[in-house]
Amino acid sequence: MAQIKSQKKRILTNDKARLANAARRSEMRTASKKVVKAVETKNLEEAKLLLCKAVSLIDHSVSTGLQKQNTANRQKSQLAHLVNSLEAELRVQA
């Protein structure tokens, strides 16, 4: 356990930040999973709406330092590819 007062404060601050980051990361991952689930159920309109929200959360995670830009770009690209492939599939069927 820390003996220095400033270090004790740092421990508390770090714990708060860790919990906040975990919540943001969880929210981002949940949004991504919802997009995948919408694509699996072939619900294009819902997938597009959920993609927009997921991209927003991913971008926010970069601006807050939760993840790196390349990781975020890869995640956004993968989700967009899923939605676009569903759109193409539905277009061919129609």
Side-chain angles (χ1 to χ4, degrees):
M1 187 65 191
Q3 299 296 317
I4 301 167
K5 187 175 182 181
S6 63
Q7 188 58 38
K8 290 178 183 178
K9 290 180 183 178
R10 237 5 251 168
I11 290 170
L12 293 175
T13 305
N14 288 342
D15 196 42
K16 287 180 186 176
R18 181 183 59 79
L19 293 174
N21 287 337
R24 282 193 210 104
R25 187 177 299 114
S26 175
E27 185 181 11
M28 181 184 64
R29 289 177 178 167
T30 302
S32 297
K33 288 177 188 176
K34 285 182 180 179
V35 173
V36 172
K37 194 168 192 173
V39 169
E40 287 174 353
T41 60
K42 300 187 188 251
N43 190 344
L44 181 61
E45 298 303 320
E46 184 181 356
K48 284 184 176 182
L49 291 174
L50 292 171
L51 175 65
C52 186
K53 180 174 175 154
V55 166
S56 174
L57 288 171
I58 291 171
D59 285 337
H60 188 261
S61 72
V62 172
S63 67
T64 58
L66 193 60
Q67 65 181 359
K68 294 188 180 287
Q69 184 69 52
N70 284 353
T71 305
N73 288 342
R74 185 180 66 247
Q75 289 173 347
K76 292 187 295 186
S77 177
Q78 288 172 343
L79 292 175
H81 181 73
L82 279 175
V83 173
N84 290 339
S85 64
L86 173 64
E87 188 173 13
E89 179 185 328
L90 293 177
R91 193 177 305 136
V92 169
Q93 290 178 355

